[in-house]
Amino acid sequence: MTAPTSGLSIGKHKLEILAWDHVGLQSSYITNFTVAPAPSGPVWPEGSTLSASNVTSSSLTLNWTTAQGATGYRIYRDSSVASSVYGSVYSYDIGGLQSDTTYTFSVEAVDAAGNVSPNNPATTVKTKAAQGTTEAFRLQAWPGFLNAGFTTRVGQPGYDRMYDLYNDGVIDGTDVKFVADKVAG
C-alpha cells in the first residue's frame, strides 16, 4: 500500500500506521524517517566526463560535458583554481605547463546562487616531452672574415638566444668548425 504525502518539513518525522481487521482487532506499526532537503546546485549527469585533447609539451585543451543547472565552471589544476568560465563554455585551453609532467584537472560546476556541484569529473594528463632545439643558421664569409650566426629556439617562443661567431684568420673551410654552440679551431 502506498499513500502520497505532501507538506512535510525538512527534518525527522514519526509515522504511525493503525489497522483494524474485520472483527475490530487493532494493529499498529511505528517508524521514524527523515525528510532531506532537495539537492541544490548544479548536477553532473551520470557518465559526465572531462577529457584532454591537443596535448603538447606545454599546453592542452580540456573538454567536458554539460552540468545541469550550471551558470559557470571552475577549472582546477592539481587542486588549485586555474580559471573560471561561463556556463555556455565546455572547453578551456591550459598553457604554461611543464614538459613531461603529470597534472590532475577537474571541473566544478557553479550555479547563479554560488552552489557547487558534487562528484566533479576529473582527468590525469601527462604533457609530452620537450622536443630538441630548432636552429636557423646563417653564414657570411669574406676574405679574412667569417660571420656565423644562428638563433636557437628552446620550448615556447620567447626563449630565443642569438649567437655570432667571428674569425679574423684565413678561411679555408678547415680553420673554423661549428659544434653545437661552441667554436673549435
Side-chain angles (χ1 to χ4, degrees):
M1 170 197 240
T2 61
T5 60
S6 63
L8 292 175
S9 61
I10 295 170
K12 294 182 179 185
H13 298 272
K14 179 173 151 181
L15 174 67
E16 182 176 6
I17 300 172
L18 299 173
W20 291 268
D21 65 13
H22 68 286
V23 290
L25 295 175
Q26 178 182 348
S27 177
S28 73
Y29 175 77
I30 298 173
T31 187
N32 295 311
F33 65 96
T34 301
V35 174
S40 62
V43 176
W44 292 101
E46 187 174 332
S48 293
T49 60
L50 173 64
S51 62
S53 61
N54 304 320
V55 179
T56 70
S57 62
S58 62
S59 65
L60 55 85
T61 301
L62 293 173
N63 307 284
W64 58 90
T65 51
T66 307
Q68 297 168 350
T71 58
Y73 297 95
R74 287 188 194 120
I75 297 108
Y76 288 83
R77 179 176 77 189
D78 294 332
S79 302
S80 296
V81 176
S83 190
S84 296
V85 296
Y86 291 108
S88 59
V89 176
Y90 312 112
S91 69
Y92 187 76
D93 294 328
I94 302 274
L97 303 174
Q98 298 295 315
S99 63
D100 200 29
T101 303
T102 301
Y103 294 94
T104 299
F105 296 96
S106 64
V107 175
E108 176 181 70
V110 182
D111 69 10
N115 298 309
V116 296
S117 58
N119 305 321
N120 300 315
T123 189
T124 300
V125 183
K126 185 172 184 177
T127 53
K128 293 185 178 182
Q131 299 298 312
T133 62
T134 57
E135 298 176 355
F137 186 77
R138 67 173 161 69
L139 177 64
Q140 297 174 326
W142 298 280
F145 179 80
L146 170 68
N147 173 263
F150 65 94
T151 301
T152 301
R153 182 177 303 271
V154 180
Q156 293 293 314
Y159 293 95
D160 293 345
R161 295 178 290 184
M162 184 64 96
Y163 299 90
D164 285 312
L165 309 173
Y166 299 94
N167 183 358
D168 292 323
V170 176
I171 306 296
D172 66 3
T174 60
D175 289 347
V176 176
K177 292 179 185 168
F178 184 78
V179 180
D181 61 353
K182 299 179 182 176
V183 176

